Amino acid sequence: MKQILKNLRFGKADEMQRMIMLKAQRNGYVFLALALLCWSLYESYKVYAWREPLNLIPCLLLAGAALIQAFSQLVLTRRAVKDDEDSDETGPLFALVLPCIAAGAAAVAGAALLLAGARL
């Protein structure tokens, strides 16, 4: 069984293989983010130009991907420096997440006003 998994490359990756996988995942994430951004802009253009109903799927996927990436980076950074007293990332998690929640709430409120047709 170990030989089959090794042939399928399910073994422990060395440093070079991990770096290659990380760069490939980064390239895939950047492509996904750009594609979703373009799709979101196109959907917004359709709403304003042709008065079609808004399709929120690309925007929600883009926001979800960005939130997951940011939150996982925050958690992984905290885990990496959890024993380091000189690092400022070792503070309480709530104090780090609170500004993110406030910015998200402000963005949602602004988007709701724009979608409702209010002029700022």
Side-chain angles (χ1 to χ4, degrees):
M1 185 67 169
K2 286 184 180 181
Q3 186 62 30
I4 294 172
L5 291 175
K6 188 175 181 181
N7 288 341
L8 293 175
R9 299 181 193 258
F10 281 112
K12 191 141 178 117
D14 63 359
E15 188 174 331
M16 185 179 75
Q17 290 172 334
R18 280 186 274 159
M19 183 61 77
I20 291 170
M21 286 189 295
L22 181 64
K23 286 184 180 185
Q25 289 171 351
R26 183 197 60 183
N27 292 341
Y29 179 76
V30 168
F31 171 76
L32 174 69
L34 288 176
L36 287 173
L37 178 65
C38 291
W39 188 13
S40 296
L41 292 175
Y42 176 70
E43 291 293 331
S44 298
Y45 171 74
K46 285 186 354 183
V47 167
Y48 290 114
W50 301 324
R51 306 285 185 224
E52 290 187 6
L54 182 64
N55 182 6
L56 288 177
I57 292 175
C59 186
L60 292 175
L61 288 174
L62 180 61
L67 285 174
I68 290 171
Q69 191 268 340
F71 187 70
S72 63
Q73 183 177 356
L74 177 72
V75 170
L76 291 172
T77 302
R78 285 179 51 82
R79 283 184 189 166
V81 296
K82 70 179 177 184
D83 294 331
D84 186 15
E85 295 176 6
D86 295 334
S87 178
D88 56 346
E89 278 96 6
T90 59
L93 185 62
F94 183 73
L96 294 172
V97 174
L98 188 61
C100 297
I101 292 172
V108 167
L113 286 174
L114 286 175
L115 290 175
R119 303 277 177 179
L120 297 177

